[in-house]
PDB file of all heavy atoms in Angstrom:
ATOM      1  N   SER A  68    -127.836  -2.168  42.812  1.00  0.00           N
ATOM      2  CA  SER A  68    -129.240  -2.079  42.401  1.00  0.00           C
ATOM      3  C   SER A  68    -129.531  -1.002  41.377  1.00  0.00           C
ATOM      4  O   SER A  68    -130.688  -0.843  40.982  1.00  0.00           O
ATOM      5  CB  SER A  68    -130.110  -1.839  43.626  1.00  0.00           C
ATOM      6  OG  SER A  68    -129.899  -0.528  44.120  1.00  0.00           O
ATOM      7  N   GLY A  69    -128.538  -0.258  40.947  1.00  0.00           N
ATOM      8  CA  GLY A  69    -128.799   0.850  40.042  1.00  0.00           C
ATOM      9  C   GLY A  69    -129.611   1.952  40.708  1.00  0.00           C
ATOM     10  O   GLY A  69    -130.416   2.605  40.068  1.00  0.00           O
ATOM     11  N   ARG A  70    -129.413   2.113  41.990  1.00  0.00           N
ATOM     12  CA  ARG A  70    -130.106   3.130  42.809  1.00  0.00           C
ATOM     13  C   ARG A  70    -131.617   2.923  42.851  1.00  0.00           C
ATOM     14  O   ARG A  70    -132.380   3.856  43.000  1.00  0.00           O
ATOM     15  CB  ARG A  70    -129.773   4.534  42.336  1.00  0.00           C
ATOM     16  CG  ARG A  70    -128.293   4.782  42.181  1.00  0.00           C
ATOM     17  CD  ARG A  70    -127.780   5.669  43.218  1.00  0.00           C
ATOM     18  NE  ARG A  70    -126.329   5.796  42.999  1.00  0.00           N
ATOM     19  CZ  ARG A  70    -125.556   6.329  43.860  1.00  0.00           C
ATOM     20  NH1 ARG A  70    -126.031   6.801  44.958  1.00  0.00           N
ATOM     21  NH2 ARG A  70    -124.271   6.404  43.631  1.00  0.00           N
ATOM     22  N   ASP A  71    -132.045   1.672  42.739  1.00  0.00           N
ATOM     23  CA  ASP A  71    -133.456   1.309  42.869  1.00  0.00           C
ATOM     24  C   ASP A  71    -133.657   0.736  44.269  1.00  0.00           C
ATOM     25  O   ASP A  71    -133.127  -0.322  44.595  1.00  0.00           O
ATOM     26  CB  ASP A  71    -133.818   0.279  41.799  1.00  0.00           C
ATOM     27  CG  ASP A  71    -135.251  -0.222  41.901  1.00  0.00           C
ATOM     28  OD1 ASP A  71    -136.050   0.380  42.652  1.00  0.00           O
ATOM     29  OD2 ASP A  71    -135.562  -1.217  41.227  1.00  0.00           O
ATOM     30  N   ALA A  72    -134.431   1.448  45.081  1.00  0.00           N
ATOM     31  CA  ALA A  72    -134.600   1.063  46.486  1.00  0.00           C
ATOM     32  C   ALA A  72    -135.229  -0.323  46.632  1.00  0.00           C
ATOM     33  O   ALA A  72    -134.848  -1.083  47.518  1.00  0.00           O
ATOM     34  CB  ALA A  72    -135.436   2.106  47.220  1.00  0.00           C
ATOM     35  N   GLN A  73    -136.172  -0.666  45.802  1.00  0.00           N
ATOM     36  CA  GLN A  73    -136.816  -1.970  45.902  1.00  0.00           C
ATOM     37  C   GLN A  73    -135.840  -3.089  45.543  1.00  0.00           C
ATOM     38  O   GLN A  73    -135.778  -4.110  46.214  1.00  0.00           O
ATOM     39  CB  GLN A  73    -138.042  -2.028  45.006  1.00  0.00           C
ATOM     40  CG  GLN A  73    -138.872  -3.265  45.253  1.00  0.00           C
ATOM     41  CD  GLN A  73    -140.209  -3.197  44.549  1.00  0.00           C
ATOM     42  OE1 GLN A  73    -140.513  -2.218  43.893  1.00  0.00           O
ATOM     43  NE2 GLN A  73    -140.995  -4.234  44.680  1.00  0.00           N
ATOM     44  N   ALA A  74    -135.074  -2.908  44.506  1.00  0.00           N
ATOM     45  CA  ALA A  74    -134.081  -3.916  44.117  1.00  0.00           C
ATOM     46  C   ALA A  74    -132.966  -4.015  45.145  1.00  0.00           C
ATOM     47  O   ALA A  74    -132.385  -5.080  45.336  1.00  0.00           O
ATOM     48  CB  ALA A  74    -133.504  -3.584  42.742  1.00  0.00           C
ATOM     49  N   ALA A  75    -132.671  -2.908  45.821  1.00  0.00           N
ATOM     50  CA  ALA A  75    -131.619  -2.914  46.835  1.00  0.00           C
ATOM     51  C   ALA A  75    -131.929  -3.896  47.956  1.00  0.00           C
ATOM     52  O   ALA A  75    -131.036  -4.565  48.474  1.00  0.00           O
ATOM     53  CB  ALA A  75    -131.415  -1.507  47.401  1.00  0.00           C
ATOM     54  N   GLY A  76    -133.199  -4.002  48.329  1.00  0.00           N
ATOM     55  CA  GLY A  76    -133.589  -4.950  49.374  1.00  0.00           C
ATOM     56  C   GLY A  76    -133.302  -6.383  48.987  1.00  0.00           C
ATOM     57  O   GLY A  76    -132.878  -7.189  49.814  1.00  0.00           O
ATOM     58  N   ASN A  77    -133.530  -6.705  47.722  1.00  0.00           N
ATOM     59  CA  ASN A  77    -133.244  -8.061  47.254  1.00  0.00           C
ATOM     60  C   ASN A  77    -131.743  -8.333  47.223  1.00  0.00           C
ATOM     61  O   ASN A  77    -131.287  -9.399  47.620  1.00  0.00           O
ATOM     62  CB  ASN A  77    -133.841  -8.275  45.865  1.00  0.00           C
ATOM     63  CG  ASN A  77    -135.346  -8.202  45.874  1.00  0.00           C
ATOM     64  OD1 ASN A  77    -135.981  -8.508  46.886  1.00  0.00           O
ATOM     65  ND2 ASN A  77    -135.930  -7.777  44.768  1.00  0.00           N
ATOM     66  N   TRP A  78    -130.980  -7.374  46.716  1.00  0.00           N
ATOM     67  CA  TRP A  78    -129.528  -7.528  46.669  1.00  0.00           C
ATOM     68  C   TRP A  78    -128.922  -7.565  48.067  1.00  0.00           C
ATOM     69  O   TRP A  78    -127.903  -8.213  48.288  1.00  0.00           O
ATOM     70  CB  TRP A  78    -128.884  -6.404  45.861  1.00  0.00           C
ATOM     71  CG  TRP A  78    -128.974  -6.603  44.393  1.00  0.00           C
ATOM     72  CD1 TRP A  78    -129.804  -5.958  43.525  1.00  0.00           C
ATOM     73  CD2 TRP A  78    -128.203  -7.511  43.611  1.00  0.00           C
ATOM     74  NE1 TRP A  78    -129.598  -6.416  42.253  1.00  0.00           N
ATOM     75  CE2 TRP A  78    -128.620  -7.373  42.270  1.00  0.00           C
ATOM     76  CE3 TRP A  78    -127.211  -8.431  43.905  1.00  0.00           C
ATOM     77  CZ2 TRP A  78    -128.083  -8.125  41.243  1.00  0.00           C
ATOM     78  CZ3 TRP A  78    -126.665  -9.184  42.872  1.00  0.00           C
ATOM     79  CH2 TRP A  78    -127.098  -9.021  41.563  1.00  0.00           C
ATOM     80  N   ALA A  79    -129.546  -6.856  49.013  1.00  0.00           N
ATOM     81  CA  ALA A  79    -129.010  -6.780  50.376  1.00  0.00           C
ATOM     82  C   ALA A  79    -128.915  -8.159  51.016  1.00  0.00           C
ATOM     83  O   ALA A  79    -127.991  -8.428  51.789  1.00  0.00           O
ATOM     84  CB  ALA A  79    -129.858  -5.846  51.231  1.00  0.00           C
ATOM     85  N   LEU A  80    -129.845  -9.039  50.701  1.00  0.00           N
ATOM     86  CA  LEU A  80    -129.799 -10.390  51.258  1.00  0.00           C
ATOM     87  C   LEU A  80    -128.555 -11.135  50.789  1.00  0.00           C
ATOM     88  O   LEU A  80    -127.888 -11.800  51.584  1.00  0.00           O
ATOM     89  CB  LEU A  80    -131.067 -11.150  50.861  1.00  0.00           C
ATOM     90  CG  LEU A  80    -131.395 -12.396  51.650  1.00  0.00           C
ATOM     91  CD1 LEU A  80    -131.504 -12.099  53.137  1.00  0.00           C
ATOM     92  CD2 LEU A  80    -132.670 -13.010  51.133  1.00  0.00           C
ATOM     93  N   LEU A  81    -128.218 -10.984  49.515  1.00  0.00           N
ATOM     94  CA  LEU A  81    -127.013 -11.614  48.981  1.00  0.00           C
ATOM     95  C   LEU A  81    -125.756 -10.984  49.590  1.00  0.00           C
ATOM     96  O   LEU A  81    -124.805 -11.689  49.945  1.00  0.00           O
ATOM     97  CB  LEU A  81    -126.990 -11.503  47.461  1.00  0.00           C
ATOM     98  CG  LEU A  81    -125.872 -12.233  46.743  1.00  0.00           C
ATOM     99  CD1 LEU A  81    -125.951 -13.730  47.001  1.00  0.00           C
ATOM    100  CD2 LEU A  81    -125.949 -11.962  45.259  1.00  0.00           C
ATOM    101  N   VAL A  82    -125.763  -9.672  49.733  1.00  0.00           N
ATOM    102  CA  VAL A  82    -124.632  -8.974  50.359  1.00  0.00           C
ATOM    103  C   VAL A  82    -124.493  -9.415  51.824  1.00  0.00           C
ATOM    104  O   VAL A  82    -123.383  -9.633  52.317  1.00  0.00           O
ATOM    105  CB  VAL A  82    -124.784  -7.444  50.248  1.00  0.00           C
ATOM    106  CG1 VAL A  82    -123.718  -6.711  51.040  1.00  0.00           C
ATOM    107  CG2 VAL A  82    -124.758  -7.012  48.794  1.00  0.00           C
ATOM    108  N   PHE A  83    -125.621  -9.574  52.513  1.00  0.00           N
ATOM    109  CA  PHE A  83    -125.600 -10.015  53.908  1.00  0.00           C
ATOM    110  C   PHE A  83    -124.993 -11.409  54.028  1.00  0.00           C
ATOM    111  O   PHE A  83    -124.193 -11.669  54.925  1.00  0.00           O
ATOM    112  CB  PHE A  83    -127.014  -9.992  54.497  1.00  0.00           C
ATOM    113  CG  PHE A  83    -127.071 -10.364  55.943  1.00  0.00           C
ATOM    114  CD1 PHE A  83    -126.762  -9.432  56.924  1.00  0.00           C
ATOM    115  CD2 PHE A  83    -127.429 -11.640  56.337  1.00  0.00           C
ATOM    116  CE1 PHE A  83    -126.805  -9.766  58.262  1.00  0.00           C
ATOM    117  CE2 PHE A  83    -127.472 -11.986  57.668  1.00  0.00           C
ATOM    118  CZ  PHE A  83    -127.164 -11.049  58.638  1.00  0.00           C
ATOM    119  N   LEU A  84    -125.369 -12.302  53.114  1.00  0.00           N
ATOM    120  CA  LEU A  84    -124.794 -13.650  53.116  1.00  0.00           C
ATOM    121  C   LEU A  84    -123.283 -13.586  52.919  1.00  0.00           C
ATOM    122  O   LEU A  84    -122.524 -14.218  53.660  1.00  0.00           O
ATOM    123  CB  LEU A  84    -125.444 -14.513  52.034  1.00  0.00           C
ATOM    124  CG  LEU A  84    -124.885 -15.921  51.863  1.00  0.00           C
ATOM    125  CD1 LEU A  84    -125.083 -16.746  53.117  1.00  0.00           C
ATOM    126  CD2 LEU A  84    -125.507 -16.601  50.665  1.00  0.00           C
ATOM    127  N   ALA A  85    -122.842 -12.802  51.939  1.00  0.00           N
ATOM    128  CA  ALA A  85    -121.400 -12.673  51.679  1.00  0.00           C
ATOM    129  C   ALA A  85    -120.680 -12.051  52.872  1.00  0.00           C
ATOM    130  O   ALA A  85    -119.611 -12.522  53.274  1.00  0.00           O
ATOM    131  CB  ALA A  85    -121.171 -11.832  50.427  1.00  0.00           C
ATOM    132  N   LEU A  86    -121.267 -11.017  53.455  1.00  0.00           N
ATOM    133  CA  LEU A  86    -120.668 -10.363  54.625  1.00  0.00           C
ATOM    134  C   LEU A  86    -120.523 -11.341  55.775  1.00  0.00           C
ATOM    135  O   LEU A  86    -119.457 -11.433  56.396  1.00  0.00           O
ATOM    136  CB  LEU A  86    -121.528  -9.169  55.059  1.00  0.00           C
ATOM    137  CG  LEU A  86    -121.090  -8.465  56.333  1.00  0.00           C
ATOM    138  CD1 LEU A  86    -119.912  -7.552  56.046  1.00  0.00           C
ATOM    139  CD2 LEU A  86    -122.242  -7.681  56.935  1.00  0.00           C
ATOM    140  N   SER A  87    -121.566 -12.089  56.038  1.00  0.00           N
ATOM    141  CA  SER A  87    -121.530 -13.052  57.133  1.00  0.00           C
ATOM    142  C   SER A  87    -120.501 -14.155  56.880  1.00  0.00           C
ATOM    143  O   SER A  87    -119.738 -14.519  57.774  1.00  0.00           O
ATOM    144  CB  SER A  87    -122.920 -13.652  57.326  1.00  0.00           C
ATOM    145  OG  SER A  87    -122.927 -14.545  58.403  1.00  0.00           O
ATOM    146  N   LEU A  88    -120.478 -14.680  55.648  1.00  0.00           N
ATOM    147  CA  LEU A  88    -119.516 -15.733  55.317  1.00  0.00           C
ATOM    148  C   LEU A  88    -118.078 -15.270  55.512  1.00  0.00           C
ATOM    149  O   LEU A  88    -117.269 -15.958  56.125  1.00  0.00           O
ATOM    150  CB  LEU A  88    -119.698 -16.176  53.860  1.00  0.00           C
ATOM    151  CG  LEU A  88    -120.898 -17.041  53.553  1.00  0.00           C
ATOM    152  CD1 LEU A  88    -121.047 -17.208  52.042  1.00  0.00           C
ATOM    153  CD2 LEU A  88    -120.772 -18.383  54.218  1.00  0.00           C
ATOM    154  N   VAL A  89    -117.778 -14.091  54.979  1.00  0.00           N
ATOM    155  CA  VAL A  89    -116.398 -13.599  55.023  1.00  0.00           C
ATOM    156  C   VAL A  89    -115.981 -13.212  56.439  1.00  0.00           C
ATOM    157  O   VAL A  89    -114.919 -13.609  56.916  1.00  0.00           O
ATOM    158  CB  VAL A  89    -116.215 -12.410  54.052  1.00  0.00           C
ATOM    159  CG1 VAL A  89    -114.886 -11.734  54.256  1.00  0.00           C
ATOM    160  CG2 VAL A  89    -116.366 -12.890  52.614  1.00  0.00           C
ATOM    161  N   THR A  90    -116.824 -12.464  57.128  1.00  0.00           N
ATOM    162  CA  THR A  90    -116.402 -11.929  58.427  1.00  0.00           C
ATOM    163  C   THR A  90    -116.486 -12.950  59.560  1.00  0.00           C
ATOM    164  O   THR A  90    -115.562 -13.068  60.353  1.00  0.00           O
ATOM    165  CB  THR A  90    -117.203 -10.670  58.795  1.00  0.00           C
ATOM    166  OG1 THR A  90    -118.594 -10.993  58.832  1.00  0.00           O
ATOM    167  CG2 THR A  90    -116.951  -9.554  57.800  1.00  0.00           C
ATOM    168  N   VAL A  91    -117.578 -13.707  59.635  1.00  0.00           N
ATOM    169  CA  VAL A  91    -117.688 -14.716  60.694  1.00  0.00           C
ATOM    170  C   VAL A  91    -116.712 -15.857  60.426  1.00  0.00           C
ATOM    171  O   VAL A  91    -116.118 -16.404  61.345  1.00  0.00           O
ATOM    172  CB  VAL A  91    -119.139 -15.222  60.840  1.00  0.00           C
ATOM    173  CG1 VAL A  91    -119.218 -16.403  61.791  1.00  0.00           C
ATOM    174  CG2 VAL A  91    -120.051 -14.099  61.316  1.00  0.00           C
ATOM    175  N   GLY A  92    -116.524 -16.183  59.149  1.00  0.00           N
ATOM    176  CA  GLY A  92    -115.594 -17.253  58.797  1.00  0.00           C
ATOM    177  C   GLY A  92    -114.130 -16.908  59.015  1.00  0.00           C
ATOM    178  O   GLY A  92    -113.297 -17.798  59.105  1.00  0.00           O
ATOM    179  N   THR A  93    -113.799 -15.625  59.091  1.00  0.00           N
ATOM    180  CA  THR A  93    -112.392 -15.239  59.274  1.00  0.00           C
ATOM    181  C   THR A  93    -112.116 -14.657  60.665  1.00  0.00           C
ATOM    182  O   THR A  93    -111.295 -15.183  61.393  1.00  0.00           O
ATOM    183  CB  THR A  93    -111.959 -14.222  58.204  1.00  0.00           C
ATOM    184  OG1 THR A  93    -112.840 -13.100  58.239  1.00  0.00           O
ATOM    185  CG2 THR A  93    -111.983 -14.840  56.817  1.00  0.00           C
ATOM    186  N   VAL A  94    -112.787 -13.578  61.017  1.00  0.00           N
ATOM    187  CA  VAL A  94    -112.501 -12.918  62.307  1.00  0.00           C
ATOM    188  C   VAL A  94    -113.505 -13.257  63.400  1.00  0.00           C
ATOM    189  O   VAL A  94    -113.320 -12.855  64.547  1.00  0.00           O
ATOM    190  CB  VAL A  94    -112.403 -11.376  62.153  1.00  0.00           C
ATOM    191  CG1 VAL A  94    -111.256 -10.997  61.261  1.00  0.00           C
ATOM    192  CG2 VAL A  94    -113.700 -10.783  61.653  1.00  0.00           C
ATOM    193  N   GLY A  95    -114.587 -13.975  63.049  1.00  0.00           N
ATOM    194  CA  GLY A  95    -115.547 -14.398  64.061  1.00  0.00           C
ATOM    195  C   GLY A  95    -116.594 -13.367  64.412  1.00  0.00           C
ATOM    196  O   GLY A  95    -117.325 -13.552  65.385  1.00  0.00           O
TER     197      GLY A  95
END
Side-chain angles (χ1 to χ4, degrees):
S68 70
R70 310 252 178 192
D71 177 12
Q73 190 170 359
N77 295 332
W78 281 105
L80 197 57
L81 186 61
V82 173
F83 183 81
L84 176 63
L86 175 78
S87 182
L88 285 171
V89 170
T90 59
V91 172
T93 56
V94 297

